[in-house]
Amino acid sequence: MKVEAQLNDRLASLIIAMDYEFVGSELRREGRDLLLRIYIDKVGGVTVDDCTKVSRQVSAMLDVEDPFMGRYSLEVSSPGINRPLFTLAQYERYLGSQVKLRLSHPLNGRMNFVGQLIRVEEVNVCLLMDAEEVSIPFADIARANIVTNIVPGKLN
């Protein structure tokens, strides 16, 4: 599920004001409850203390605004090695990377795509998959991540 645009904007403003990069957020159903996951970053990487600090501020904001019906959990995390992508600007930033996309509905009978991110157009993301270019509407992407293949014992 996508976080409502207005809430996402307020989260971004708060987190940016705290001198962190707001990578993005996602909302997931966990049984009967919701999980709001927020990804943050900063130069040099994110620590557990950073996540705790942001979590406290976001919790206070959510307590006042009460944007969800029922119970929810909040998780603040670094984007990690398989960084999620939320905006076209983030796709542009990672041109040349391997990405994995999950669509909200099938495109040519497929829901999942893995390939090299070669271009971002106004409303499309273009991947190179098996020497073939595939153009995917950005609006149809439900989830996207950088794919990092790490071989044990080797540094990439």
Side-chain angles (χ1 to χ4, degrees):
M1 289 185 270
K2 295 207 177 193
V3 175
E4 176 190 305
Q6 288 179 327
L7 176 58
N8 219 38
D9 291 346
R10 289 191 302 277
L11 290 169
S13 294
L14 173 64
I15 291 165
I16 291 167
M18 296 176 70
D19 291 326
Y20 294 98
E21 175 190 351
F22 175 71
V23 176
S25 64
E26 61 189 12
L27 197 56
R28 293 184 153 192
R29 178 122 342 247
E30 301 260 321
R32 287 194 235 164
D33 300 336
L34 291 174
L35 170 65
L36 173 61
R37 183 173 292 133
I38 298 170
Y39 296 96
I40 62 170
D41 207 356
K42 72 174 186 181
V43 175
V46 174
T47 66
V48 172
D49 288 339
D50 294 322
C51 292
T52 300
K53 188 165 116 178
V54 170
S55 179
R56 284 189 186 123
Q57 292 298 314
V58 169
S59 289
M61 183 188 91
L62 295 176
D63 286 347
V64 170
E65 296 191 15
D66 197 20
F68 306 114
M69 297 284 263
R71 294 172 24 147
Y72 71 92
S73 297
L74 172 64
E75 181 179 298
V76 177
S77 176
S78 79
I81 196 160
N82 292 326
R83 172 182 282 271
L85 301 172
F86 294 95
T87 66
L88 285 172
Q90 290 172 352
Y91 285 86
E92 293 246 353
R93 189 168 152 193
Y94 290 96
L95 286 175
S97 298
Q98 284 288 115
V99 296
K100 180 179 181 180
L101 308 177
R102 176 152 181 83
L103 304 185
S104 52
H105 56 275
L107 175 67
N108 300 326
R110 293 181 66 172
M111 295 283 288
N112 297 303
F113 293 82
V114 177
Q116 183 183 16
L117 182 57
I118 57 171
R119 191 171 61 257
V120 176
E121 299 171 341
E122 282 185 32
V123 294
N124 294 321
V125 172
C126 300
L127 302 181
L128 185 61
M129 298 174 51
D130 301 320
E132 183 180 326
E133 187 175 313
V134 179
S135 184
I136 300 169
F138 176 69
D140 294 346
I141 299 172
R143 184 170 179 82
N145 291 80
I146 301 292
V147 177
T148 306
N149 296 322
I150 295 178
V151 177
K154 288 192 173 187
L155 295 177
N156 288 352

